[in-house]
Amino acid sequence: MLLEVLQGTEAGGFILIQDSVNYCGRHLLKSCINTALKREEVVHVLGFEVSQEELNDGLDRTSAQRLHFHNAYSDPLGWTGNSPFTVHQFTLEDIGTLLKQTPQAKAVTLVIDSLSWILRHHDPAAICQKLQALKKGGVVRAVIGLLHSDLHQRGTVGSICHLATSVITVAPGTRGLGAVAKITRRTKSGKLMQDEEIFSINEDLTVTIQSKRSHPGSTPMNTDESEVDPTAHLTFNLRLSDTQREAKEKLPLPFVFSKEKKSALLHPGTGSGRILYEPDANDDYDQEDPDDDLDV
Amino acid sequence: MFAELNSILNTSPDSFKPGEFILVSDKHTDASFLIHHFLSFYLRAGCKVCFLGLVQSFSHYSAISQRLGVSLTQAREKGQLVFLEGLKESLGVLLQGEASKGTRAVDFLRDPSSGLRGLYDFVRDNVRGAVGGGEEWGPPVLLVDDLSVVLSLGVSVGAALDFSHYCRATVCSELQGSMVMLVRCEAEEEEESDDEGSERLLRGLIHQCSLTLQVQGLPTGYCRDIHGQVEVCWRGQCDRQQTQKKLFQYKVHDKGASFFARGMSSAVL
C-alpha cells in the first residue's frame, strides 16, 4: 500500500509522513518528491529544516526546473532581515503568491518540510484550518507534509492526522534492516485501510517493499476462519465409544486405596523383612509413636 | 583531544567533515569531558572557535585544556578563540540591571520570553567576522556548554530550538563550519508529566543534528573502571544510509579517556 500512497493519483490529497528521533522520515519525503517529479508535476517545497543543497541531493536532476524550493531555512523568523519566506508567511495568500510565481497551470504538489517547524510558531488549530483550506482550495493538487510527532503533544499530532488522507508512520526496522511504515489511508468514500510494510529506500530514492505485515485491524470481517474445524485432522481421538468409556471407568486410579490394597500393606505376609533397631547410647530416641496421628 | 574517540568518529584535526552538527547529551552522568575534547580538537585543527561557556568559568576550561595540551589563553589572545563567559556576563546583567553596557548576548536574562536572538547575533558576528576578516583561521566552529541551562533561565524549548536552527543555518550550512552542543537531561522518571523540558529540547535537537553522542551512566550503577557508556549515532542526512549506531563504554583518565566495546574493559579481561 505504501507504493500506492506514494504514487497517489487522487487530487486533493494530504499525505502526512510522521517520524520520530529513531528514524528520519526525510528520505521517504524525498522519494515522494521524486515520484511527483516523475509524474510531470510541479513541486513546491517549503523548506524549513534543511538547506536547498541538502534537499536537492539525490533528487532527479532532469526535472529540476519543475522543482521550486522556497528557502525558509536560512531565516525562518526574519532575524537577519533577508528572508525569502518566514514562518509567519504561512498563510493562504502568501502561499498562493508563491505558487503563482510559476506560470504553469499543471498540477502542483506542495511539500512542507516540516510541519513541526510551523506548529512551533503557530496555533495548531489555525494550522489545521489552513491545511484544510489548502486541501480544498484547488490551488494545489496534493499536500505532502513531514511531522516529527515526538516534538508535539499527542492531541496536536492527532488533529493533524485527522486531516490527512494518508498517514505514513515510519519507524526503524527490527535488526537494523529497512524500516517499518504503518500506513493509514482514507478513501473518498470514507473507508479506512491500514497496513504495515517493511521497506527500504534505494540509492535513486525509489522505495522497495521488502515484506508486508498484515495489520490485525485491516481485515475486520475474517469469517472463513471460523468454518474450519480444528479437530478435523487430528492424529488422536477426542471422543470415546461406550465400551471404551466403560473400560476407562473400571480402571482403578493408582493412588486410590481399596480394601484389598490396604490390608495387603498393613498385614504383610510371613517371610517379609523386618527392621531391627538397637538404639545407641547417644541416640535421641523419641518415645512417642511418630505415626500416632495416622488413621491406620 | 582523545585519539581513540577520533578513530571511532573517523576524523582527525587534519581532515574532518565540514558542516557537521554534533549533539552531545548526558543522563545520570557528566559528558563535559567530550566538550573539552571537541574544544581542543577544533583549536588544534586551526578553526576559529566560538565558545559559549554557560556553566563554568574561563579558568575552569583553561585549566582542563592545559592538561589536554592546548592553551586557551593564547588562543584567545591570537583571536582564534572567542569565549563568552556566561557566568560573568549574567552576573553583570543581574547586578547592574538595566544600566549594563556589555554585550547583548545575554539579553534573554532580562526578558526570557524574547528568545535567544541576542545570543545568536553574538555568534553570527563572531563567526562571520572570522570569514570576512581575512584571518588565517579555518572554518568557524560553535561550541555550546550547555544549552539546557537556558531552559532553567526561563527560555522556552521552542526558543532554544530556534536558536540552534539559526546557528546551524549560519555555521553549518552557510559557512561550512561545525557545531557542537551539549544538552543535559534531567533524570526524571515520569517523562510524560513534564514534557516541557530538556527531553523535548533533546528530541528537537536530534532531529536537527547529524551526529549524536549520548552519554549515560551504567545502568548497573557506579563502577570504578567503567565510568559510563556512550552511544554514537550517525543520522544519515546527506547519504541515503539511515541511522547507524554504536555503543561504547568509556573511562575518563586524568589526561584523556579510553573507549572500548561493551564488556571489553581491561579491568574485566
Side-chain angles (χ1 to χ4, degrees), chain B residues 41-100:
Chain B
F41 177 92
Y42 287 116
L43 283 177
R44 274 190 201 192
C47 297
K48 166 94 181 183
V49 177
C50 177
F51 193 101
L52 306 183
L54 302 177
V55 290
Q56 296 283 0
S57 63
F58 178 76
S59 51
H60 170 88
Y61 295 106
S62 177
I64 294 174
S65 297
Q66 203 79 52
R67 286 197 173 180
L68 297 176
V70 176
S71 167
L72 292 196
T73 329
Q74 273 179 23
R76 203 180 188 182
E77 279 163 9
K78 281 190 288 182
Q80 188 187 3
L81 174 71
V82 177
F83 193 96
L84 178 80
E85 200 165 350
L87 295 180
K88 223 179 224 172
E89 298 281 342
S90 56
L91 202 63
V93 171
L94 294 174
L95 292 183
Q96 297 172 15
E98 295 297 313
S100 71

Side-chain angles (χ1 to χ4, degrees), chain A residues 20-21 23-24 27 48-49 54 57 73 75-80 117 120-121 148 150-151 154 203, chain B residues 117 120 124 158 161-162 165-166 168-169 173 192 200 203-204 206-207 235-240 242-243:
Chain A
S20 66
V21 290
Y23 188 86
C24 179
H27 304 286
F48 286 94
E49 284 202 351
E54 214 172 308
D57 177 52
Y73 168 73
D75 190 14
L77 298 174
W79 283 3
T80 53
W117 232 103
R120 212 164 71 212
H121 291 275
H148 305 308
D150 50 355
L151 295 184
R154 217 170 292 162
E203 279 292 305
Chain B
R117 189 169 169 180
Y120 166 69
R124 190 194 50 188
L161 288 175
D162 288 343
H165 175 95
Y166 264 90
R168 177 170 156 243
S173 299
E192 294 299 315
R200 245 187 82 208
R203 282 199 297 267
I206 290 177
H207 279 293
R235 290 176 62 80
Q237 293 274 4
C238 312
D239 42 7
R240 233 77 57 235
Q242 267 295 340
T243 51

